Structures are given as structure tokens and as C-alpha cells.
Amino acid sequence: MKALQYVAVGQPPEVREVPTPEPGPGEVRLRVTAAGACHSDSFVMGLSEAEYTAFGYPLPMTLGHEGVGVVDALGEGASGIEVGEAVAVYGPQGCGRCHSCAQGIENYCPHAAALGITPPGLGKDGAMAEYMIVTDPRLLIPLGDLDPAATVALTDAGLTPYHAIKGSLDLLVPGSVAVVIGVGGLGHIAVQLLRTLTSATVVALDISQSKLDFAREVGAHHAFLSDDRAAAHIAEAVGPGPVAAVFDFVTNDPVMNIVRSLSGPRTDLVLVGAGVVETTVGLLGQPYGSRIRAPYWGSRPELMEVFELARTGQLAVETETFSLDEGPEAYRRLHDGELRGRAVVVP
């Protein structure tokens, strides 16, 4: 079969011929119908050799932590699912046995790292292939009649902002203001979710005018450049005072300065981007009652809820599709910021 693999540190991914995998006991093999390309993949491929080794990722590694497909074969003892069923892969996999996993909150499993459990495409072979192995049927969410290419990005780009926003719903009351920084693959979905789930005024910030136009298209009430005038522009548009929540899908030091300028008592500072920043915390280090959160992906029940929003027409992902042979070009365009939404590879 064909697979898009990261083969050498610092080099672009390659389409290669690899053996078709066979499911082991309890495992499921999917015929992949769509796989999503994500900035997390780009982050991994940007690591130095020492950093990549520290993460413990193998080489070669089939990319793709967003995947949907059709059940193709069952390993011995695998049950609860049928060959031919359309499913999506839940990526942030845990041990399956602890208190968090029992609630479907496998994204916060405390044992996964010690057990060597990693998401597909981020530590083990992922969905950028004609077939993939899923270790347990519990990790497969029914897709129903949803279109695979239009849905696959929801497994991360939809689930992650949904989980981030749900943690702030207590603050996003009528009259409140929510700010989304970075209107890319996740940010444009966050704007839609805020409009669907809350009555807050939604403000989008980005560095390009085209992304600001995009933000308005998907529902932002206001959109401004994310520069040192951003806080002033927001105050002019919605009135003075702190915002209720800031959802940062970039996370670097210049953006953190903007985040701080928008915060006040009880503001949620939600850092979703893969960057690293330093900030002062504590009673005298940040506004009283404010919270800083670094959410990771989302739970299995939340993914089901995201699919329901898509099924009822309340959520849609802007996608551009590529063949598996075009996968390296999809990642190049992702890395160079040439995509409006998400890149989806259809094997």
C-alpha cells in the first residue's frame, strides 16, 4: 500500500510503498477514506534531531492524526464493530482503564506517557495511508452519513476548540466578549463554535487581511489585525473593559502581550497553540479571578457532540483536498501558510 511518511529529520515527507498492516488481537484495520494535515505534524517535522529523539518518535513514521475510514478487517477478539462500518478515529488515546478514560476523557489519561501510548501519526503510524491499524474498537466513533473529507478535520480541528470553549462557557454569557487569535484551521472553527454555543460578541485577530475577511465570513462580529493596536480597536468596537475569554491558537510572546492587554478580573486565557511562552502568575501576577488554561484535544463524548453539530449543519470545516501522491505538497502549503482552512488527503 501507499503511505505518506516522515523518513528523515528535517526533510519533507515522502510517499512510499509499505506492507499493508494486519490487525493483531483486539485491533481493527481501516481502509482510510480521508486524513487531515495539521500544524502539529508541521511542528513535529520542524524538530531538530535531538528534539525528535527526545520525543521518542520512530523513523519512518506514517503521518496523520486525523483519520476516518471504513472498517476493513477485525483482529481476533475485536468486537462491538462491524466490517464495512464508517468510523472516525479518536486520536488522544489513553490506557482505557483509569478514572479519566472510563469517562471518555482519554486526552487527560495520566498513564498514557508511561505506557508508551501515543496518538496515530504522533508516535506511531497514522492515517496518511491506504490502510491503518486502530488498537481498540472503543477508539472508533460512528461516522454515519457524514462526508469523510468534510468531516475528518473535526477529529482534531473541531474537537480541540470545542473542548477549549466548553471550559469557558460559564463566562460567555449575554453581553460578554470572546476573542479568537489566529483564524486558521482551528481558529475558523472556534469562531463558528462561539457563535453556535454562546451569545458572546466574537472578535477575531490575525496577521493577514485575508484571514480577517475569512473570520467575518464564518461569523466573527469584528476582525482586526493582531498588532499593538488590537486592544484599542477592540475597545472601540465593543466598549472598554476586559474580555471574558481569549482563545489563543498561536501562542508566542508577541501574541501573549496582546492576550495580557485584553485580560482583567475573571478573564479566561486559553492557550491552545503549540508555542511556548513565559508569563507571571499568582495573586499579584495576574488579574484577580483570571484563569490560564492549556487544554489538550478533547474527550470521546465531546467528539460525538462535534459530529452532531456538523450533522445538523451548525459547523463546517473549510477544506482543500489532495490525493495521497499530493500529500507532500499539502504539507508544504500548510507550512507556508497558503491554506485558508484545512488540508485533507483522500487516499
Side-chain angles (χ1 to χ4, degrees):
M1 71 169 188
K2 286 183 178 179
L4 181 60
Q5 295 192 317
Y6 189 46
V7 179
V9 172
Q11 299 301 310
E14 301 175 14
V15 178
R16 309 174 84 205
E17 286 287 340
V18 300
T20 300
E22 294 295 332
E27 295 181 336
V28 179
R29 185 174 70 193
L30 301 187
R31 176 176 58 81
V32 178
T33 51
C38 179
H39 277 289
S40 297
D41 306 328
S42 189
F43 170 79
V44 168
M45 290 187 283
L47 295 172
S48 68
E49 191 157 350
E51 291 168 333
Y52 194 88
T53 301
F55 271 90
Y57 292 163
L59 285 174
M61 179 176 69
T62 301
L63 298 168
H65 56 273
E66 296 176 342
V68 299
V70 174
V71 176
D72 175 73
L74 300 177
E76 182 181 355
S79 62
I81 199 160
E82 300 292 333
V83 171
E85 186 175 347
V87 293
V89 181
Y90 173 72
Q93 302 162 11
C95 70
R97 297 173 59 84
C98 69
H99 188 265
S100 291
C101 288
Q103 301 173 79
I105 311 173
E106 301 202 26
N107 50 315
Y108 296 135
C109 174
H111 308 297
L115 293 172
I117 300 170
T118 58
L122 294 170
K124 62 187 175 187
D125 286 338
M128 292 279 178
E130 293 176 302
Y131 295 90
M132 72 176 294
I133 297 295
V134 178
T135 55
D136 193 294
R138 80 173 192 281
L139 303 169
L140 298 173
I141 308 300
L143 200 61
D145 58 357
L146 288 171
D147 176 76
T151 305
V152 64
L154 293 176
T155 60
D156 180 6
L159 177 57
T160 297
Y162 183 77
H163 176 64
I165 290 167
K166 280 191 72 175
S168 298
L169 288 180
D170 60 323
L171 301 179
L172 298 173
V173 298
S176 63
V177 176
V179 176
V180 174
I181 303 179
V183 192
L186 277 68
H188 87 282
I189 299 175
V191 170
Q192 295 177 65
L193 289 169
L194 285 164
R195 291 300 308 269
T196 296
L197 300 175
T198 80
S199 57
T201 297
V202 181
V203 180
L205 302 179
D206 207 295
I207 60 173
S208 76
Q209 191 59 52
S210 62
K211 290 292 182 68
L212 300 183
D213 294 339
F214 184 27
R216 295 185 188 97
E217 284 179 35
V218 295
H221 295 97
H222 306 282
F224 305 109
L225 292 173
S226 54
D227 56 22
D228 55 8
R229 289 279 299 155
H233 287 311
I234 293 173
E236 291 168 8
V238 301
V243 303
V246 183
F247 300 95
D248 173 13
F249 293 94
V250 180
T251 311
N252 57 34
D253 287 324
V255 168
M256 193 64 191
N257 289 334
I258 296 174
V259 171
R260 289 194 198 94
S261 71
L262 299 172
S263 65
R266 299 197 67 210
T267 299
D268 262 11
L269 313 178
V270 189
L271 310 181
V272 188
V276 177
V277 295
E278 293 185 3
T279 188
T280 303
V281 298
L283 181 63
L284 302 180
Q286 65 189 88
Y288 297 143
S290 63
R291 303 182 292 197
I292 298 177
R293 291 191 290 116
Y296 172 65
W297 225 321
S299 69
R300 281 189 287 131
E302 286 172 334
L303 182 54
M304 296 176 186
E305 293 164 12
V306 169
F307 282 177
E308 284 304 311
L309 289 174
R311 190 169 283 113
T312 54
Q314 299 178 78
L315 182 63
V317 187
E318 182 86 8
T319 61
E320 186 170 345
T321 58
F322 300 81
S323 70
L324 194 53
D325 288 332
E326 295 169 330
E329 172 64 8
Y331 275 113
R332 184 201 66 78
R333 294 189 58 191
L334 173 70
H335 181 269
D336 293 345
E338 297 177 7
L339 296 169
R340 208 165 101 111
R342 297 292 274 191
V344 172
V345 169
V346 180

